[in-house]
Amino acid sequence: MIDDARDMMDDWESIYQGYFLGEHDETLLECVERLEKARAARPRDPDSTAFHTLGLVWTYAHASSEADSAVARRVVEALSAAAADPAAGQSACRHESHPCDDDLEAHLESFEVWLSLLAGESDYTWDDLDGRPGTGTGRESSWRCPRNVAGFARSAADEIGRHRNR
């Protein structure tokens, strides 16, 4: 379980939907700090690391256009570090493809379910997310694969950089 996961998810969804009433940049920086802490923990909890990485991915549009430039830079650095994590590249993977292989925007609507599964507080199953019964239970899900999380992190960091460097 991830402490206050539901509160973080509600904030991230509100930022994603464009109706968050709190401090957007402060929320992103808190997520960056939690991701850095999760990545530094030994032993590392892959679900916590993925959860905070994906929180930043889900809110990438704010970092792309509305966040203070220093905040956007911290988000890109954190996402880039998560994308380049040796644990993702060295993990055994038998998946023919991953959701991150598609357009980033195509899957953002699924992030609430994905994050709730990672946080351990969901009524959904990994099969529900994969959309094909028997294909994605638990640790075997292509959604849960470290390469998929890294792929989404890379895509979000690239998008933020592309919009910020115009």
Side-chain angles (χ1 to χ4, degrees):
M1 285 292 233
I2 297 169
D3 292 337
D4 66 349
R6 175 53 49 197
D7 291 339
M8 285 185 284
M9 289 168 41
D10 288 346
D11 289 351
W12 298 336
E13 180 185 21
S14 296
I15 291 171
Y16 167 68
Q17 297 290 347
Y19 58 82
F20 185 59
L21 299 177
E23 293 293 329
H24 295 69
D25 287 1
E26 183 179 305
T27 302
L28 266 59
L29 288 174
E30 179 183 354
C31 187
V32 166
E33 290 167 7
R34 287 178 181 230
L35 173 56
E36 290 169 346
K37 183 178 177 181
R39 291 188 70 239
R42 297 295 179 259
R44 184 184 293 179
D45 177 356
D47 288 346
S48 179
T49 303
F51 181 83
H52 293 98
T53 300
L54 297 170
L56 291 176
V57 172
W58 204 13
T59 58
Y60 89 92
H62 174 75
S64 293
S65 60
E66 299 173 30
D68 179 82
S69 59
V71 172
R73 193 170 31 260
R74 292 264 329 265
V75 170
V76 168
E77 289 168 359
L79 287 169
S80 297
D85 193 321
Q90 297 169 0
S91 64
C93 172
R94 299 177 315 203
H95 303 117
E96 292 179 22
S97 64
H98 296 92
C100 70
D101 298 336
D102 300 328
D103 179 64
L104 175 60
E105 288 289 327
H107 293 293
L108 292 177
E109 290 292 327
S110 300
F111 271 47
E112 182 177 11
V113 172
W114 191 7
L115 289 164
S116 69
L117 285 163
L118 288 168
E121 36 179 78
S122 183
D123 294 330
Y124 293 96
T125 68
W126 290 100
D127 281 343
D128 293 329
L129 194 57
D130 280 333
R132 298 179 313 272
T135 60
T137 57
R139 298 254 175 238
E140 292 79 36
S141 173
S142 63
W143 283 88
R144 200 173 198 168
C145 180
R147 291 181 184 202
N148 186 51
V149 174
F152 275 114
R154 188 175 308 105
S155 293
D158 290 349
E159 283 296 311
I160 295 167
R162 188 171 63 80
H163 289 312
R164 286 293 180 155
N165 293 325
R166 287 182 177 178

